[in-house]
DNA sequence: ATTTGTTATCGCAAATATACGATGAATAAA
DNA sequence: TTTATTCATCGTATATTTGCGATAACAAAT
């Protein structure tokens, strides 16, 4: 019985890092995150004004960021206020730090 | 004349960060990078032994990592030695650091 | 109860990503 | 020259992503 890619199970950290990276892999989502991280929380409508794309498209990107855990939305009728999900944002930062951290005993060969 | 998502041009850093993030967004590629970063350079065959997937699939992931600039391959007939592309790897680290870095004048509202 | 403002979701089309087996290319060894 | 080894590339099938317009959902105001 042959093993294929479907059988692979990755460590929690690897899977989580990949999930975060995927959320960060689109320039629109990066723009949204930078906006939230640097300026303030905002409403969907604020982003619709800034970004030249359909409202439905932006809403979809927000959904992906929310599902990845990087942002959170608080109902503030009739609007929804989006903010960085600080705890998960910190976790993502930590995972990327670990990823880029060389082990001290790395063997260099090139 | 309507503006759509196709018209958007992003800053170099945003585009580059997105490209790096996309390369990091698959657990197999993360596994390869961790392997290279923590242990040593390696040949494609080493990865084929470690990862339970088709050789062609692994080769494809290596190609994507190479195209993203995160690794480099040195011909070492009949094999190819893959290593982290240190300069671009450092650049990626820097871009993610900037991404997660809060500006000091951030306005907190939630 | 109806209307308004805001945002999410649906349905679709096009593009991209993922994985595989089969084949090709290149070099070293026989 | 042939063979063996190693790795890339091709062709293909399936799944996921991206983007849009249209529509639904929901609370607040009228």
């Amino acid at each position: 019985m042959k093993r294929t890619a479907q059988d692979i199970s990755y460590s929690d950290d690897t899977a989580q890092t990949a999930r975060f990276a995927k959320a960060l892999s689109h320039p629109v989502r990066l723009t949204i995150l930078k906006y939230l991280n640097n300026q303030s929380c905002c409403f969907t409508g604020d982003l619709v004004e800034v970004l030249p794309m359909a409202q439905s498209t932006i809403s979809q990107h927000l959904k992906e960021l929310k599902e990845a855990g990087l942002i959170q939305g608080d109902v503030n009728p009739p609007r929804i206020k989006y903010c960085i999900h600080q705890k998960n944002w910190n976790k993502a930062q930590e995972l990327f730090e670990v990823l880029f951290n060389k082990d001290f005993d790395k063997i260099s060969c090139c």
Side-chain angles (χ1 to χ4, degrees), chain A residues 29-99:
Chain A
R29 291 195 289 271
L30 285 177
T31 303
I32 292 171
L33 287 169
K34 286 181 179 187
Y35 190 87
L36 290 177
N37 199 39
N38 292 330
Q39 310 205 11
S40 67
C41 302
C42 70
F43 302 108
T44 305
D46 298 332
L47 295 167
V48 174
E49 281 177 29
V50 172
L51 301 169
M53 352 173 46
Q55 176 263 324
S56 60
T57 303
I58 293 170
S59 189
Q60 208 168 292
H61 283 299
L62 287 169
K63 186 184 179 186
E64 286 174 47
L65 287 172
K66 197 165 60 179
E67 283 174 353
L70 291 175
I71 64 174
Q72 64 191 107
D74 300 317
V75 179
N76 200 335
R79 296 180 286 185
I80 296 183
K81 187 178 67 178
Y82 282 106
C83 313
I84 294 285
H85 189 300
Q86 204 57 52
K87 188 180 158 208
N88 291 338
W89 184 252
N90 293 344
K91 178 63 179 173
Q93 178 173 32
E94 181 196 320
L95 284 173
F96 282 104
E97 275 174 10
V98 169
L99 173 65

